[in-house]
Amino acid sequence: MNQIEALILGIIQGFTEFLPVSSSGHLTIAGTLFGLNGGENLTFAIVVHAATVLSTVCVLRKEVAILFRGLFSFRWNEDTQMICKIMLSMIPVGIVGVFFKDYAAAAFGSGLLPVGVMLMLTAALLFFSGYAKERRKETITFGDACIIGVAQACAVMPGLSRSGTTIATGLMLGNRKENVAKFSFLMVIIPVLGEATLDLLKGDFSAGASGIPTLALTTGFLSAFVSGIIACRWMIRLVSKGKLIYFAYYCIAAGLFAVIYGFLK
């Protein structure tokens, strides 16, 4: 992977992480077109995911600060409850990370056919959420947090959008649009940063271990971080206006492309 490829892939990751079109699916498609192997795709995906998580912290810094204050207030208030809900939502993806990480890694090298299928499944979820009866719960319940967490765990498959899956699930459960969007972005912070930190300590991000030059990884990280800030702000506005259904059409088109390309290759 060279710097130009890293720059392009980083921008793709930054925008598609927050838009409900599957960042992992797009990285797999672009990586395949660039001729990257599955190992390079996975390592690069972890790095740029960490970059977009940091962009989430920047955009939602007020919400993050409030949660931290609630954590150390030692009171059972609304902020403390939200922290517990976020931690509850992380349990399913933590289980997948511990027991099924090898299967997830293998999925990144399994070709474009499964990516195309998952993109079309993402489209179906967005369609369902667009026509779901709006109940507008004031707060996300603990039960909702658990279900949304399971949805996030399922979205480790390349092509199944994490933000699309979690936001669509939250909307179908009757939650307010803006609350679901912010919850979806906050719940991924610790799992992704934790995984990136562990891989960094193991040396998996070194040029020798990943096969990707350090300068290319740095370029990808920075481009994903900057584009992620732009996309995160845009996505919160889009969700509040109920514009997700338009992304379903895009996912169908991208999914068909991936399926056809996968068959022809």
Side-chain angles (χ1 to χ4, degrees):
M1 179 185 297
N2 57 45
Q3 286 179 258
I4 300 299
E5 292 171 340
L7 176 65
I8 295 172
L9 291 173
I11 293 173
I12 291 174
Q13 161 64 25
F15 280 108
T16 59
E17 170 65 22
F18 298 102
L19 303 181
V21 295
S22 178
S23 60
S24 60
H26 280 73
L27 285 179
T28 302
I29 292 173
T32 300
L33 296 177
F34 287 156
L36 305 180
N37 59 50
E40 286 182 300
N41 267 341
L42 180 60
T43 301
F44 189 81
I46 294 172
V47 171
V48 292
H49 270 87
T52 48
V53 164
L54 290 177
S55 66
T56 304
V57 174
C58 289
V59 174
L60 300 179
R61 56 189 178 277
K62 293 182 180 178
E63 288 81 358
V64 172
I66 291 172
L67 291 178
F68 267 104
R69 285 199 297 268
L71 179 63
F72 295 104
S73 67
F74 303 106
R75 298 174 183 172
W76 187 245
N77 53 28
E78 184 177 340
D79 297 331
T80 309
Q81 291 176 34
M82 178 57 68
I83 293 171
C84 292
K85 291 171 186 176
I86 291 174
M87 294 182 69
L88 177 64
S89 73
M90 295 188 302
I91 293 176
V93 75
I95 293 173
V96 171
V98 172
F99 296 103
F100 302 101
K101 183 176 181 178
D102 291 340
Y103 295 99
F108 276 83
S110 58
L112 293 187
L113 182 58
V115 171
V117 174
M118 290 297 104
L119 278 168
M120 286 188 277
L121 178 57
T122 298
L125 289 172
L126 294 175
F127 273 122
F128 284 133
S129 68
Y131 291 106
K133 185 178 180 181
E134 191 171 7
R135 287 172 286 172
R136 299 177 65 84
K137 294 180 184 177
E138 289 300 322
T139 59
I140 295 173
T141 67
F142 281 95
D144 291 346
C146 185
I147 296 172
I148 295 172
V150 172
Q152 176 175 243
C154 294
V156 298
M157 291 295 296
L160 188 57
S161 169
R162 191 204 66 80
S163 62
T165 300
T166 54
I167 291 174
T169 300
L171 292 177
M172 287 188 282
L173 290 171
N175 291 285
R176 295 173 64 90
K177 297 172 182 177
E178 187 172 351
N179 289 347
V180 171
K182 290 182 178 181
F183 187 83
S184 171
F185 297 153
L186 288 170
M187 66 189 286
V188 76
I189 291 176
I190 295 177
V192 173
L193 289 183
E195 182 180 12
T197 301
L198 289 175
D199 286 334
L200 181 62
L201 293 175
K202 291 188 297 184
D204 289 353
F205 293 158
S206 64
S210 66
I212 305 174
T214 302
L215 191 56
L217 281 176
T218 304
T219 301
F221 181 93
L222 293 175
S223 61
F225 176 75
V226 173
S227 57
I229 290 177
I230 298 170
C232 185
R233 290 172 175 166
W234 186 32
M235 185 61 184
I236 292 174
R237 290 196 295 268
L238 285 176
V239 173
S240 63
K241 294 178 181 178
K243 303 292 186 179
L244 293 185
I245 196 167
Y246 297 110
F247 291 103
Y249 298 112
Y250 174 82
C251 286
I252 291 175
L256 288 174
F257 169 81
V259 169
I260 294 171
Y261 188 91
F263 272 122
L264 293 179
K265 188 175 179 181

